[in-house]
Structures are given as C-alpha cells and as structure tokens.
Amino acid sequence: MSFTEFEFFSSPGATAGWLTLLVLFLYMAKDPAHMAIRSFSRVLSRGFKLASKGLLPMEQRLALRNREVLLAAGREEKERVMEREFERISSSVKKELADTPSLHREISEVITKLEDDYKLSTDVPPSPPGWINAVDAVAKIPAKDDPVVRDILDDIHESLIKAHNTATDEYRASRKERHQLLKNMLPGWRKMLQVVDVANNNVTSLLERAKVIDRYMDDYEQILNGTDRAVRMLSSSSINQFFISTFVLCIAVGGAMINFHLIARPMAEMVGGNTYIFSTYKVADIAALVIILVEITMGLFLMESLRITRLFPAINALKDHMRVRMVWVTFSILLALATVEAGLAYMRELLMQDQLATSAILRGEAVATIESGFTWITTMAQMGMGFILPFALVFVAIPAETFVSSLRTVLGVLGVGTIRSVSFTLRLFSNAFYFIGNTLVHIYDLFIFAPLWIEKQIKGRSSGLKEVLNEDRRKVDPPELVKEAS
Amino acid sequence: MRQLLKAASVCVVFMILGACSSGDDDAPTGTGHGVYMLVDTSGTYTRELKKAQHIINVTLTKLYPGDSFAVARIDTGSFSEKDIVAKVSFDDRPSMANHQKRLFKEEIDKFVRTVKPASYTDITGGILQAVEYLNEKNPRRKTILIFSDLKEDLEKGYIRNIEFKLRHFSVIALNVTKLNTDNINPQEYLTRVEEWQARVESAGGTWGVINDMDQLADKFLN
C-alpha cells in the first residue's frame, strides 16, 4: 500500500464512510447475530444448569447415605450404651437384691425380738395379798381393849408393813427389769432403721438407673424412627467427637515422637547406625518406628480384647476364653516391649555419656567423663518414660476408634457441602451466561441504534406499530428464557 | 487388566527416570563420609603439627559410624601406603566408633611426638594416594584435607605432572601459611593457591581454602 492510498483510507471522511458501512453491515446481520449470541449464551447457560441439576441427585444420595450411616452408627452406639447400662443394672440387681432374703430375715428377727421384749415389758400391777380380808375381819372384832387381841393386831400390822415393803421392792425390781428391756430395744430399732435405709438406697439406685435407661430408650426410639432431631443430635455429637479425638491423637503423636527419640539412637547399636533403606531412611530409625507401631498395634488389640473398643469384628466375635487369652498375650508382648524400651533408654544415656567422654578426650580436656550427682535422675526419668509410654500409647485405641467412626460423618458432611457449593456455582454461571447473552444483544443494538431508530420511525407510521414493538420486546426477552433463568 | 496396565505404565516411567538419571556413571554409590587428610611434614612446617592435631580431633568429633578417616604425611614421595599414619573405617555401632576414635587419637598423638621433618614436599603424590584410598572406600562424600603451605618441592627424578581425577571430591587446603618470600611478593602466594585451585577444578573437584580453623567444622564437616 502506497502512502497516498494509506492517507486516503485513514482520512476522517474515509473513516466515517467505513463506520457507516460497518453499521449498515451490522444492521443487516442483526437477526442472525442476535440468534447467534442468544444461542451461544443459551447453550452455556443450559449446560451449566444441567450440570448443576445433575449434581443434585448425587447430593441427595450422599445426604441420604450420610443419614443412614449416622443413624446406624447412632443406633449401634446407643445399643452399646444401653447394653452396658443393662449389664450394670443386672449386676446391681444381682448384688443388691440378692441380699433381700437375708434383709427380710434380719428384719423379721428384729421384729420378733422387739415383740418379745415388748411383751416382757408389760406392766403387771402387784396383786393384793390374800389375807387382807382376814385381817379386815380381825380388825372388826369388838374386844379391842383385850391385850391378846391388841397383840394379835400389832403382829398383823407389823406383818402387813413387812409384806407391803416386800411387795414394793419386788415391784420396783420388776419395773427396773422392764425398763432395762425397753432400753435393750433401742439398738434393735436402730438396726431396723439401718436395714430399711439400705433397702431404700438400693431401690433408689435402681430407680435412677431405670430413669437413665428410659432416657436412652427415648433417644433410641428417636433414632429408630429416624427423626430429624436424632440426626441433628448425632451429627453434632459426631463432629464434636471428631475434633476431640483429633486433639487427643495429636497429643498421642507427640508422645510417640518422644518415644521414638528415646529409642532411635540406641537402636543404632543393634541394627547399625550406617545402614539405609532406599538410601534415605536409616534402618535404626525405621526399627525404632516399627517398635512403636507394634506397640500401638498391641494396644489396639488389647483394647479390643477388653471390649473397650470395637474396631475388629473378628476379635469381638472370639469366645470369651480366647479373648482372655488374647488379653494376656498382648499384655505380655507390651510388657516385653516396654522393658526393652526401658533398656534402650538406659543404653541411650550410656551412649550419650560415652560420646561426651570421647568428645572431651578429643578436645584434650583432662577429665574425660562428666560426672554429676544428678545424672541418675535423667537416667531414671528416661527409663521410666521408656517403660510408661508404651502403656500410655495403648489408650490411643479409644480416640482412634472415635476418630475413624466420626471421620465418616465429617467426610460425608464435607462431601455434601462441596457438592452443594459446586452446584450453586454452576447455577450462578448458568444465570450469568443467560444475562450476559441478553446484555450482548443490547450492546449489539447500541452500535446500530441509528438504523434501528429509522426503522422504528418508518414502522411507527404503519398501523401495526404496537405489534412490532411487542414483537421486538418478545425477541429481546423471550418469556421461556426468563422463566428458565429464574 | 486395568490394574496390570497401570502397574506396567508405572514401571515404564520408573525405567525412563532411571535411564535419565544413569548418566553419571562414576557417582558415589556408598554411604557415609570419607575424609583423607594430608599433613605436611616438610621443613619448618613441622612446627604447625599441633594445629594439625587439633584439626584431626575436630574432624573425629564430626564423623559418624560408617564414615572413613585417614591421615597421611606429605614427605619426599607421598604416593605410598607407608605414608598413611592412621586410618579407620568407623564401625556401625556408635559405642565401637567412639572406641575407634580414641584409639585413632592415640595413634596421631604418637605420630606428632615422633615425626621427623621431610626434605621434600610431594603434595601431588599425596593427593593421588588420597584419591586411590577414597575411591576404594567409595563413600557418598569424599573430602581431601591438605594441611600444608601448598609449596610443592619435588626431589629430582620424581614425575608428578599427572592429571587428577577429582570428580565428586572436595579438596580443602588448611592453614596455608605465608612463606617469607610471600611476604616480599604476595603474588607468589596468590599464584600458588590459584594454580592448585585450577588443577583441582580442572580435574572436576571443588576447591576451598580455610585458614580460620573454626570454620572447618561449620563449612565442610557438618
């Protein structure tokens, strides 16, 4: 292109001409362009919408599956708890109500004794002497001045006083005896009260346990019925357990790391300090790790055999005598490993001292060994840790079981959440593309507003102006697309 | 079937990776660290042996089970096993390695007490002997320490214009003291060090000079 040609094409007049031509071209291509834009946006919009809708059944299936798993796990857990509660109540009934016959016998004996004592303590008035009437008759004899009669009467009087005194003494003695009997009844009453209290406590304890079981039964019924409340409760509980068990497992990992450092160095004495696996991992480190993992595994088996955890159905299905044997076997292996670890911890201290002594010699220091009165404390502490940590790691089984069981729920909830988010995003894209298509159509019309205005003016004069406008409006915003977008 | 295909594809990938990485044929395949220290015993440099003794002790503290260590003297003709004063390959067990270190120190102490100055300085022969020793041990890391002023002084008739093969070797010159002539013309010192550096680097090795002994442990032995 020569300079003059370029100048011709780039002059303002030529530019205006080109623009007019372009606008005319765009106006003529209006309908197919609108169709193309709308088709493209509709394809994208519907594609995303379909993808979004496609995710919904997956989400529902996963949510349903989560619900089923949660309810099944909750049911199993409740059954386990109720089983244990029934075992407790059974042992309580066996222990406490087994004493009921003896309690009954005891109460009967106490009551019989009390009755006897009561009968014995009855107040019997002293009977008047039989010869009182005779004395009365003698006293009515008229010859009172007769000395013989007087003597007789005096004798009778004296005898009467004596008899009276004797009767009074006897009566007092018998009263004293009855009082003593009544006093002896007091421990009996106290014992009776204690026995009744014991019986009352036993019955109250049973009633409380019955209330707990009632509560568990209510929860269990709700789980069986699959109510939303039960699902919410189980889900919340599961997520809580997940975080708690994760926290405890982190602590356990810290313990395992300390344990590892205790035995890794002395392990080099046994398997060599310069042997590698895959040129990277020291065999001594791997051996130490394996020992710790074996300890954890033994801990899992021990807890499983004790029926504290239920990770392995095969162990749970074992007969009781086999299970007890397994408890002893795993405990023995753990004890052996703990002893080995204590020995290794001791050896570590010896190696450290040897290393320090060698370094001191190489540095040319006069005292080759570091002697301190406190060395035995660190040695004992290391040995103690070496012995205790394997047993402490046994309890990892409990949070591990909780972690595994709650992880399923947490992953399920996360899965549902992720699918929902993706579905929502796809839906958002679908709507966005729909409206972008409409916007592009309007922007297209903006470039050709002049011919469109002229067209409207021409058509406005015709009788069907309103119909044209309505038709245009329908083209811009087709009702089915609006409906789809909503 | 699908799993079989997956396994086969993984094998193929590993084979390709293996083929790509097998370009370095003489790469060390062993483990541990091999250190060979040449100690100059010529002339007045014998007075520096106390420092060498200290360096040897520091080196011993930084070596671990499975490592190898040898100390050899530089004299008139150093390309000889007879010039190796003490050598040891540390046992895998840390306690035994400690015991070996103590014995090694005793040998070095005895050497320092009884050493006699040599008339000539055959550094090249010493390096050739070091290469031979370390190649035989084949550790993962190979280090040659040269405790010398780097002034080579060969007896008439000794031929030492031999190319080194120092690929995967680190050569570190220690305590490179300045001679009287260096003080008059420092260029002599610089030229001497540069010549050794060029010889080592052209042979594929890495070169370093340490005159501050505290840096030895930090830079090269850790």
Side-chain angles (χ1 to χ4, degrees):
Chain A
M1 187 183 285
S2 70
F3 180 74
T4 50
E5 284 173 329
F6 178 78
E7 198 177 50
F8 170 75
F9 284 110
S10 61
S11 65
T15 308
W18 280 113
L19 277 173
T20 311
L21 272 175
L22 183 67
V23 168
L24 278 174
F25 174 76
L26 287 174
Y27 174 72
M28 284 189 290
K30 183 185 76 171
D31 288 342
H34 281 189
M35 287 292 286
I37 291 168
R38 282 201 185 107
S39 301
F40 185 65
S41 71
R42 197 180 297 174
V43 163
L44 286 175
S45 173
R46 284 193 174 177
F48 279 114
K49 193 172 181 180
L50 272 175
S52 170
K53 276 187 176 173
L55 286 175
L56 285 177
M58 196 193 289
E59 184 222 324
Q60 283 165 359
R61 272 203 305 275
L62 188 58
L64 192 67
R65 179 74 189 134
N66 283 347
R67 192 185 172 95
E68 283 170 5
V69 168
L70 204 60
L71 286 171
R75 193 170 60 237
E76 196 180 332
E77 180 62 27
K78 280 289 170 219
E79 279 171 0
R80 202 163 137 186
V81 170
M82 282 200 299
E83 191 182 322
R84 282 192 186 166
E85 202 59 40
F86 275 122
E87 277 171 11
R88 277 183 204 144
I89 209 166
S90 167
S91 64
S92 173
V93 165
K94 273 182 195 165
K95 186 182 146 194
E96 288 161 3
L97 295 190
D99 297 339
T100 308
S102 65
L103 274 177
H104 183 257
R105 196 172 58 246
E106 212 171 331
I107 289 171
S108 299
E109 281 171 5
V110 170
I111 287 171
T112 310
K113 193 169 180 299
L114 286 172
E115 272 179 3
D116 292 347
D117 287 348
Y118 178 72
K119 279 176 188 168
L120 287 171
S121 67
T122 311
D123 193 5
V124 182
S127 55
W131 39 267
I132 289 290
N133 293 330
V135 171
D136 191 40
V138 171
K140 287 176 182 174
I141 294 172
K144 287 181 181 171
D145 295 334
D146 188 354
V148 176
V149 173
R150 192 183 299 131
D151 289 343
I152 289 168
L153 286 175
D154 286 343
D155 287 345
I156 288 169
H157 181 245
E158 279 176 17
S159 299
L160 200 61
I161 288 168
K162 274 184 186 173
H164 175 72
N165 287 339
T166 308
T168 305
D169 288 345
E170 279 177 3
Y171 182 66
R172 279 180 183 157
S174 74
R175 289 284 291 202
K176 193 177 177 183
E177 195 179 340
R178 279 191 291 276
H179 276 147
Q180 191 58 44
L181 283 169
L182 285 171
K183 196 177 174 184
N184 288 344
M185 281 168 75
L186 206 60
W189 283 113
R190 280 184 190 145
K191 192 173 182 182
M192 182 91 163
L193 194 66
Q194 281 174 0
V195 170
V196 169
D197 277 349
V198 169
N200 185 42
N201 287 341
N202 290 348
V203 171
T204 310
S205 158
L206 285 174
L207 285 173
E208 278 171 5
R209 286 191 190 283
K211 274 182 193 169
V212 172
I213 288 177
D214 279 348
R215 206 168 59 241
Y216 287 146
M217 277 306 289
D218 285 344
D219 292 345
Y220 186 64
E221 274 176 16
Q222 290 209 351
I223 291 169
L224 279 183
N225 293 333
T227 60
D228 289 342
R229 183 178 166 273
V231 172
R232 276 199 306 275
M233 189 180 70
L234 289 172
S235 178
S236 163
S237 162
S238 198
I239 289 167
N240 281 346
Q241 283 176 359
F242 175 77
F243 284 113
I244 292 165
S245 60
T246 308
F247 176 67
V248 177
L249 279 179
C250 288
I251 294 170
V253 167
M257 281 169 71
I258 290 172
N259 204 1
F260 173 80
H261 283 290
L262 271 178
I263 62 171
R265 189 185 176 108
M267 195 54 83
E269 282 291 315
M270 293 164 71
V271 295
N274 195 39
T275 320
Y276 289 83
I277 293 176
F278 304 124
S279 311
T280 313
Y281 305 105
K282 271 188 177 179
V283 172
D285 291 349
I286 300 286
L289 194 67
V290 166
I291 284 186
I292 291 166
L293 291 176
V294 168
E295 283 167 2
I296 292 172
T297 313
M298 287 301 124
L300 284 175
F301 289 158
L302 182 61
M303 285 289 178
E304 201 71 20
S305 309
L306 289 169
R307 289 199 169 156
I308 293 171
T309 58
R310 293 185 183 191
L311 285 166
F312 303 99
I315 296 176
N316 268 306
L318 284 177
K319 287 179 183 172
D320 275 357
H321 68 276
M322 280 298 291
R323 208 167 43 76
V324 172
R325 271 185 207 169
M326 198 158 168
V327 168
W328 283 110
V329 168
T330 48
F331 181 76
S332 307
I333 293 171
L334 261 174
L335 188 68
L337 287 171
T339 314
V340 167
E341 275 208 20
L344 286 172
Y346 178 65
M347 194 173 170
R348 181 179 186 271
E349 185 61 30
L350 291 183
L351 284 172
M352 288 283 284
Q353 286 178 10
D354 187 42
Q355 177 78 39
L356 287 171
T358 306
S359 298
I361 289 170
L362 292 174
R363 282 197 304 272
E365 290 174 9
V367 182
T369 54
I370 295 174
E371 289 184 6
S372 166
F374 306 109
T375 315
W376 67 271
I377 297 175
T378 51
T379 309
M380 292 304 291
Q382 286 188 53
M383 285 180 72
M385 281 169 73
F387 190 78
I388 290 167
L389 278 172
F391 290 107
L393 286 176
V394 166
F395 295 97
V396 169
I398 299 168
E401 187 195 29
T402 313
F403 181 80
V404 169
S405 60
S406 59
L407 184 66
R408 169 68 185 80
T409 310
V410 171
L411 286 179
V413 169
L414 282 177
V416 169
T418 310
I419 292 172
R420 270 187 196 160
S421 304
V422 173
S423 174
F424 174 76
T425 313
L426 291 172
R427 189 91 180 167
L428 203 68
F429 278 129
S430 166
N431 282 348
F433 277 110
Y434 169 75
F435 287 111
I436 285 170
N438 279 351
T439 311
L440 286 175
V441 167
H442 289 304
I443 291 168
Y444 188 94
D445 288 347
L446 197 65
F447 285 111
I448 54 170
F449 74 94
L452 280 177
W453 182 79
I454 295 165
E455 183 191 339
K456 276 184 186 175
Q457 291 300 319
I458 293 166
K459 283 187 178 174
R461 287 173 191 164
S462 67
S463 57
L465 180 63
K466 283 183 183 175
E467 284 178 17
V468 171
L469 285 171
N470 286 337
E471 193 181 344
D472 276 356
R473 201 169 293 151
R474 274 204 301 279
K475 276 181 184 174
V476 171
D477 292 326
E480 66 271 15
L481 280 182
V482 175
K483 196 179 172 186
E484 275 175 17
S486 64
Chain B
M1 188 63 189
R2 192 174 288 173
Q3 284 181 344
L4 201 67
L5 279 170
K6 273 186 187 172
S9 57
V10 169
C11 286
V12 168
V13 168
F14 273 108
M15 283 167 73
I16 292 166
L17 286 173
C20 291
S21 63
S22 64
D24 199 357
D25 290 335
D26 57 346
T29 52
T31 57
H33 189 184
V35 180
Y36 193 99
M37 183 165 171
L38 292 163
V39 180
D40 194 342
T41 58
S42 63
T44 54
Y45 204 79
T46 318
R47 281 177 294 189
E48 303 285 330
L49 280 178
K50 280 284 173 192
K51 279 187 188 173
Q53 198 178 3
H54 173 68
I55 291 166
I56 290 166
N57 288 340
V58 170
T59 310
L60 280 172
T61 59
K62 295 291 175 184
L63 292 176
Y64 297 100
D67 291 347
S68 302
F69 188 32
V71 174
R73 54 187 286 169
I74 297 173
D75 57 7
T76 308
S78 305
F79 185 57
S80 165
E81 284 84 1
K82 287 177 186 173
D83 283 323
I84 297 176
V85 177
K87 60 181 178 181
V88 67
S89 286
F90 293 116
D91 196 271
D92 267 358
R93 290 167 293 172
S95 59
M96 190 54 78
N98 280 337
H99 182 64
Q100 286 173 309
K101 283 178 185 177
R102 293 181 194 187
L103 291 178
F104 195 92
K105 183 189 180 296
E106 283 173 14
E107 282 185 62
I108 295 299
D109 290 349
K110 190 179 169 189
F111 164 71
V112 171
R113 279 198 304 273
T114 58
V115 68
K116 288 176 183 170
S119 310
Y120 296 93
T121 313
D122 176 19
I123 299 173
T124 307
I127 292 176
L128 289 170
Q129 181 61 40
V131 170
E132 192 178 88
Y133 174 84
L134 289 175
N135 279 340
E136 200 176 315
K137 291 287 175 192
N138 195 28
R140 182 182 287 271
R141 279 179 68 195
K142 298 172 185 174
T143 306
I144 299 172
L145 303 174
I146 306 172
F147 186 80
S148 167
D149 53 15
L150 296 180
K151 177 78 176 173
E152 190 160 54
D153 182 17
L154 294 171
E155 193 179 1
K156 196 175 179 184
Y158 280 77
I159 299 161
R160 289 291 184 264
N161 53 350
I162 301 163
E163 283 288 318
F164 295 131
K165 287 181 179 172
L166 294 173
R167 202 149 174 237
H168 305 295
F169 278 77
S170 295
V171 181
I172 301 157
L174 305 169
N175 195 42
V176 186
T177 52
K178 280 88 179 174
L179 305 170
N180 289 336
T181 50
D182 294 339
N183 205 9
I184 297 162
N185 181 10
Q187 189 57 45
E188 273 189 29
Y189 171 82
L190 296 172
T191 309
R192 198 164 68 240
V193 172
E194 279 168 11
E195 277 175 2
W196 276 108
Q197 182 174 359
R199 277 187 80 181
V200 169
E201 287 179 351
S202 64
T206 56
W207 173 259
V209 177
I210 296 177
N211 287 322
D212 178 7
M213 292 307 131
D214 293 336
Q215 291 186 1
L216 176 70
D218 297 336
K219 282 191 175 176
F220 293 97
L221 295 175
N222 281 332

